[in-house]
Amino acid sequence: WEALAELVQEDKVFESHLELRFVGQVSESLVESIYEYKLEDHTRFLGYLPHKQAQQEMFNAQVLLLIEKNKTETQDIIPGKLFEYFQSQRPILGIGPNPWDVSNFIQKHRCGFTFGYEDKDEIKYTIKAYYEAYMKGKLFIKPRGIEIYHRKQLTKSLAEVIRLQVNQTA
């Protein structure tokens, strides 16, 4: 939030375009931090939405934010939301513990960038680069290899595992 607050202060055009939209449950500490950095005028909390509507919000976004608590025990957590984000083909800005297993997925599939909480300058630089690409109509990603996470492919893989198990026990 500090990086965003600085960009809002430095660039009034950026400020006029900034809108943070949160779908689903949001922690009280996150809400408090939004107010701490005076970003509440740029923020909408939409609460829980039907899945299709939540997906539409994701597809309409310019950049998707993925946040994980900055704790050692969350380094291995890979939220299911990540795979939905992959399907949107929107850039992902991940902020979480360092190291974080999510970083490997995002880097491998070229879907965005991840940072630790201490990486304010790098986060600011990335947001600014995303914004400049957006203003030029060139904000897009070309993910690589995400088709393995499509439900149809996952179902096919699961069916193959079951077939192998049945053949081994027969």
Side-chain angles (χ1 to χ4, degrees), residues 102-167:
V102 165
S103 300
N104 298 329
F105 280 90
I106 290 176
Q107 182 179 10
K108 174 183 176 182
H109 298 297
R110 296 183 180 176
C111 292
F113 299 96
T114 59
F115 302 96
Y117 278 81
E118 68 282 356
D119 299 327
K120 181 198 64 136
D121 291 337
E122 292 87 351
I123 293 168
K124 183 178 174 181
Y125 174 84
T126 301
I127 292 169
K128 191 171 184 175
Y130 281 158
Y131 179 66
E132 288 169 1
Y134 162 75
M135 291 300 287
K136 293 176 183 173
K138 296 181 178 183
L139 180 61
F140 60 90
I141 59 169
K142 294 182 181 178
R144 179 176 69 177
I146 62 167
E147 59 279 349
I148 64 173
Y149 304 114
H150 288 155
R151 289 183 180 175
K152 191 173 186 177
Q153 182 61 40
L154 291 172
T155 303
K156 184 179 175 182
S157 298
L158 179 59
E160 180 63 19
V161 169
I162 292 169
R163 186 186 68 73
L164 290 172
Q165 287 294 326
V166 168
N167 287 342

Side-chain angles (χ1 to χ4, degrees), residues 1-20:
W1 305 138
E2 187 177 354
L4 280 175
E6 286 180 12
L7 285 168
V8 163
Q9 289 299 312
E10 296 167 5
D11 186 338
K12 294 304 174 191
V13 177
F14 174 85
E15 179 185 23
S16 71
H17 287 123
L18 178 63
E19 183 178 31
L20 302 168

Side-chain angles (χ1 to χ4, degrees), residues 56-106:
Q56 193 58 52
E57 287 290 333
M58 187 174 48
F59 282 95
N60 290 340
Q62 297 304 313
V63 177
L64 299 169
L65 179 63
L66 185 64
I67 302 174
E68 186 56 72
K69 293 176 186 171
N70 192 21
K71 297 187 180 232
T72 304
E73 59 268 18
T74 62
Q75 292 174 339
D76 301 332
I77 292 176
I78 301 172
K81 182 188 300 187
L82 175 65
F83 301 100
E84 292 220 3
Y85 277 12
F86 282 171
Q87 303 311 312
S88 75
Q89 297 193 19
R90 306 303 307 150
I92 299 169
L93 178 67
I95 302 173
N98 193 4
W100 187 20
D101 283 353
V102 165
S103 300
N104 298 329
F105 280 90
I106 290 176

